[in-house]
Amino acid sequence: MKHYHHFEEYNIEVTDDIKQKYADIITNIGEDTSREGIVKTPERAAKAMQFLTSGHCQDPAAILKKAMFAEDYNDMVIIKDIELYSLCEHHILPFFGKAHIAYIPDGHIVGLSKIPRVVDVFARRLQVQERLTHDILECINDTLKPKGVAVVIEASHMCMMMRGVQKQNSVTTTSGFRGQFEKIETRNEFLKLISSNLS
Ligand SMILES: [Zn+2]
C-alpha cells in the first residue's frame, strides 16, 4: 500500500504513458493535439485521471484506525450530506451526489472528518454505486465494530444523463444496513432524520 499523498507525486512513467494514450484518443476523435487549447490536455487529463482513481492505492481502514477513540456514547451518530464524486466503471464517466452515514458506537467513536475521507477513498476508484455503498458500509463495520451502521447514497450518473437514456433528473438511491439498523425501528429513525435530503 502506498502513502496517502501518492496522487500529488505523479509517477513520471505512468503519467507519460497515460498522456500518450490520451493524445491518441484525442487524435482518434478527430481533434488536433497541436491546437493551442489542447496541446497540454493529454498531460492534464493524465494527472486528473490519476487523481480521480487515487483511492485504489489507499487504505480506508487505516484512516479510521488512526482516529478511533474509546468513548461511552451509545446513541446514533449521523453524518449527512457528504459530497461524493466517483467514476462509473462501465463508461469512466462521473457519478456524483451525497452520502448519508450513521453508526451506533460500541465503545469506540471515530473522528467525524474521517468518515468523509473513507467515502473519498472508495469514491476515487472505478466504481458502481452499489459496490461503493457496500464498500463504505463494510469498512466502517469491520474497522469500528459498531452496534450498527447505515449508509444511504443518492447519486446522478453522467452516463445516464449525457448519453444512453438521457434521463436528466433521475437520481439513483442505494442503501445498506448492518447490526441494529437491520431492525425496522432503528432504520426508520435514521431514514426520518435524513429524509429532508431524500427526494
Ligand atoms: Zn456508466
Side-chain angles (χ1 to χ4, degrees):
M1 193 209 33
K2 290 165 195 159
H3 44 97
Y4 297 146
H5 54 282
H6 163 81
F7 54 84
E8 285 167 5
E9 307 164 348
Y10 299 100
N11 178 307
I12 292 168
E13 274 176 42
V14 174
T15 305
D16 277 350
D17 193 34
I18 300 174
K19 177 179 152 184
Q20 189 49 55
K21 283 161 177 138
Y22 269 124
D24 290 344
I25 292 169
I26 291 166
T27 305
N28 269 302
I29 60 173
E31 266 289 358
D32 172 8
T33 50
S34 66
R35 187 159 68 75
E36 197 188 354
I38 282 183
V39 73
K40 285 197 163 175
T41 296
E43 184 177 350
R44 280 191 295 257
K47 287 180 174 173
M49 180 53 72
Q50 288 176 85
F51 174 78
L52 296 175
T53 56
S54 58
H56 283 294
C57 53
Q58 293 176 25
D59 179 1
I63 293 170
L64 290 181
K65 279 177 193 157
K66 273 206 240 168
M68 279 170 58
F69 311 99
E71 187 64 59
D72 217 12
Y73 181 85
N74 291 312
D75 290 319
M76 199 183 290
V77 178
I78 303 180
I79 304 114
K80 287 205 299 188
D81 297 331
I82 302 167
E83 277 182 64
L84 158 88
Y85 301 93
S86 190
L87 288 174
C88 99
E89 68 183 16
H90 301 131
H91 305 93
I92 319 187
L93 286 171
F95 66 93
F96 59 95
K98 284 174 177 175
H100 313 288
I101 297 174
Y103 72 97
I104 299 169
D106 188 10
H108 287 89
I109 56 165
V110 67
L112 289 179
S113 67
K114 304 305 173 194
I115 301 280
R117 286 202 53 204
V118 166
V119 171
D120 280 346
V121 169
F122 284 118
R124 287 182 190 143
R125 300 178 180 193
L126 297 185
Q127 274 288 10
V128 295
Q129 187 179 332
E130 294 86 343
R131 192 174 65 242
L132 176 61
T133 307
H134 189 257
D135 284 348
I136 296 166
L137 185 76
E138 295 303 334
C139 177
I140 296 170
N141 200 43
D142 294 347
T143 311
L144 199 56
K145 302 192 190 315
K147 287 178 184 159
V149 55
V151 177
V152 170
I153 293 177
E154 27 178 8
S156 302
H157 292 250
M158 295 310 265
C159 62
M160 285 175 73
M161 297 165 80
M162 291 181 71
R163 54 164 293 288
V165 290
Q166 296 186 349
K167 294 287 184 213
Q168 310 294 342
N169 297 311
S170 72
V171 172
T172 304
T173 303
T174 48
S175 60
F177 305 96
R178 289 287 178 277
Q180 289 189 4
F181 287 97
E182 290 171 63
K183 287 191 290 184
I184 196 80
E185 316 83 74
T186 315
R187 183 188 305 202
N188 283 346
E189 186 190 341
F190 165 67
L191 293 174
K192 200 173 144 195
L193 287 164
I194 65 165
S195 64
S196 57
N197 301 96
L198 291 174
S199 38

